[in-house]
Amino acid sequence: MAKVGAPEKLITKDGLRLDGRRLDEPRPVKLEVGILKRADGSAYIEQGRNKILAAVYGPRELHPRHLQKPDTALVRCRYNMSPFSVPERRRPGPDRRTIEISKVAREAFEQAIFAEHYPRAGIDIFIEVLEADAGTRCAGITAASLALADAGIPMKDLVSAIAVGKIDGQVVLDLTGIEDNYGQTDMPVAMMPRRNEITLLQMDGHFTSEEFEQALELAIKGCKILYEKQREALKTKYGGP
Ligand code: UDP
């Protein structure tokens, strides 16, 4: 049964989505590196209607000291949504969803960061969602990856992330809020594009195995598009080839 307020269709007769995109087209993206003075590294992303800041502190001596690891740095991540980021005011503070997103985002980076270069240190990643319209964990990861690079933290590769999903029975790239709400499936993916290594894959809903293959291929394509934009943003800040 259709939900109250649901649009009749998410894909129009001419095969386009409600915002005019093709099925395999990502939302417009704007990236900026190094915008916060006091953080060691920072970045800002706009992806469609998402507006997200990422800040990185570290590597620095980890407190409390009992958390220090003798052979590696501890990577921590906090994903937070501001109360004004969504149509219905969010209660400030962590909830199950933000705790889960903080965990999966941290895991997406743990595989990329050479944490063993910094024994006993802490690396703190903050993702602050200012405006949300679906795909914020992915956009947050894309921005945080730039903030880590801006902080000079060595990584195997940048991490790029995007969600794929199913709406009106079709596999599409980079869901908007309305597509996420009224579609059938949402699958966020993060990866190190040059190494072809997936560092996050979650799924809300169902895909057939053929749809899954198609969706994964599309997510990889989307990550590669973002990867080029991330590299451009770093070049804009730091120059170089
Ligand atoms: N959302 C909301 N209120 C909340 C949490 C989420 O309105 O408390 C919206 C927000 O636009 C978010 C979207 O629902 O981007 C999808 O949330 P999901 O949990 O799928 O995470 P995301 O797609 O942002 O990574």
Side-chain angles (χ1 to χ4, degrees), residues 7 31 46 55 96 117 145 192 197 220:
L31 290 167
E46 282 181 14
R96 280 175 63 128
H117 289 195
S145 174
M192 291 185 270
E197 279 178 41
I220 292 171

Side-chain angles (χ1 to χ4, degrees), residues 77-79 97-107:
C77 180
R78 191 191 75 179
Y79 165 101
R97 174 179 170 275
T98 56
I99 292 167
E100 173 214 315
I101 296 178
S102 300
K103 175 180 180 286
V104 296
R106 169 174 54 77
E107 288 168 351

Side-chain angles (χ1 to χ4, degrees), residues 8 12 33 72 82 86 93 153 170 174 181 190 194 201 209 220 232:
E8 216 168 284
T12 58
V33 179
T72 186
S82 67
V86 287
I153 291 172
Q170 304 251 35
D174 199 10
N181 275 343
R194 210 161 30 175
L201 195 151
S209 52
I220 292 171
E232 274 167 32

Side-chain angles (χ1 to χ4, degrees), residues 79 81 86-87 90 97 101 132-138 180 186:
Y79 165 101
M81 277 186 135
V86 287
R90 256 198 90 251
R97 174 179 170 275
I101 296 178
D133 189 41
T136 58
R137 77 194 63 199
C138 291
D180 186 12
D186 175 25

Side-chain angles (χ1 to χ4, degrees), residues 3-23:
K3 294 183 203 169
V4 178
E8 216 168 284
K9 282 196 163 301
L10 292 167
I11 300 176
T12 58
K13 280 201 298 292
D14 46 10
L16 296 176
R17 296 151 75 177
L18 297 183
D19 59 4
R21 281 183 296 150
R22 296 186 314 272
L23 305 190

